[in-house]
Amino acid sequence: MENARLIVGLGNPGARYARTRHNVGFQLLDRLAGRWQAAWKPEKKFQASVAQAEWQGQSLLLVQPQTFMNSSGETVGALTAYYRVPLARVLVAVDDADLPLGEIRLRARGSSGGHHGLESIEQHVGSRDWPRLRIGIGRTADGRREITDFVLAPFEKDEAPVVEAVLTAATGQVECWVADGIEKAMNRFNGTATGPGDKRKTE
């Protein structure tokens, strides 16, 4: 796939984790696959579910690592090496408990922020210089740092409209990154999704 872009959503495999906060990256990738009419296929040699798409004249490889979150780098490292994808053309979508629910933040590079999935990718690609889209999932009301049970729990019913809005905005941001580049995608979409009337929503 010459000049391909790699779009990775982080999460944990299996029905048990499908709708949890930690899997919001998987949820975004499912939306993108649906919009681009791309079919998921298991790729055992990469330990991933992979879907190929063509959009805006570009070749896109959608990836959901099946390694479990903390070993995501095994998949990302293998795919970037196999397809020779420059890291600037690799976008990783990930949950972020340090961002309020409803907020998204795209950056061209950065630290892991303590996120084990991002740490694993850093270790396997040997760099922090790749775009990452952080999707806010909020934090427990008491603000405690140990939040394993929280991130592995589903969103609450009353959070559904916000989750819908943020996934819509994140979908638009990824498409803007593909079509117009990272600067426009950051400037247009970073911030809080406001709901169905959000002007940033994709057409």
Side-chain angles (χ1 to χ4, degrees), residues 126-142:
S127 173
R128 293 180 172 181
D129 294 338
W130 34 273
R132 68 280 314 278
L133 169 53
R134 297 179 181 271
I135 302 172
I137 60 170
R139 188 173 284 277
T140 56
D142 58 15

Side-chain angles (χ1 to χ4, degrees), residues 32-188:
L32 292 169
R35 284 180 64 83
W36 297 337
Q37 299 181 333
W40 291 107
K41 296 180 181 179
E43 289 283 359
K44 290 185 178 180
K45 66 181 177 180
F46 297 123
Q47 301 180 80
S49 290
V50 175
Q52 294 188 17
E54 294 286 335
W55 190 76
Q56 296 289 301
Q58 299 202 45
S59 296
L60 307 169
L61 201 65
L62 309 183
V63 180
Q64 294 176 335
Q66 301 295 296
T67 56
F68 285 92
M69 179 70 79
N70 295 357
S71 299
S72 299
E74 296 176 16
T75 291
V76 178
L79 281 165
T80 54
Y82 183 83
Y83 288 107
R84 300 180 182 177
V85 182
L87 293 182
R89 297 176 69 86
V90 178
L91 174 62
V92 178
V94 63
D95 64 292
D96 191 331
D98 290 325
L99 288 181
L101 177 64
E103 187 169 331
I104 56 175
R105 184 180 299 166
L106 176 64
R107 290 287 185 268
R109 61 188 59 82
S111 71
S112 67
H115 193 288
H116 297 317
L118 297 182
E119 288 175 353
S120 177
I121 295 173
E122 288 177 9
Q123 292 167 3
H124 282 82
V125 303
S127 173
R128 293 180 172 181
D129 294 338
W130 34 273
R132 68 280 314 278
L133 169 53
R134 297 179 181 271
I135 302 172
I137 60 170
R139 188 173 284 277
T140 56
D142 58 15
R144 66 182 185 272
R145 298 303 301 177
E146 175 49 53
I147 56 171
T148 301
D149 290 343
F150 176 73
V151 300
L152 293 180
F155 289 102
E156 301 291 340
K157 288 184 178 180
D158 62 359
E159 294 174 324
V162 182
V163 175
E164 175 66 26
V166 77
L167 287 174
T168 297
T171 299
Q173 187 164 43
V174 174
E175 292 187 335
C176 186
W177 174 74
V178 172
D180 301 315
I182 194 163
E183 292 295 332
K184 284 190 177 180
M186 289 192 298
N187 292 337
R188 183 180 176 195

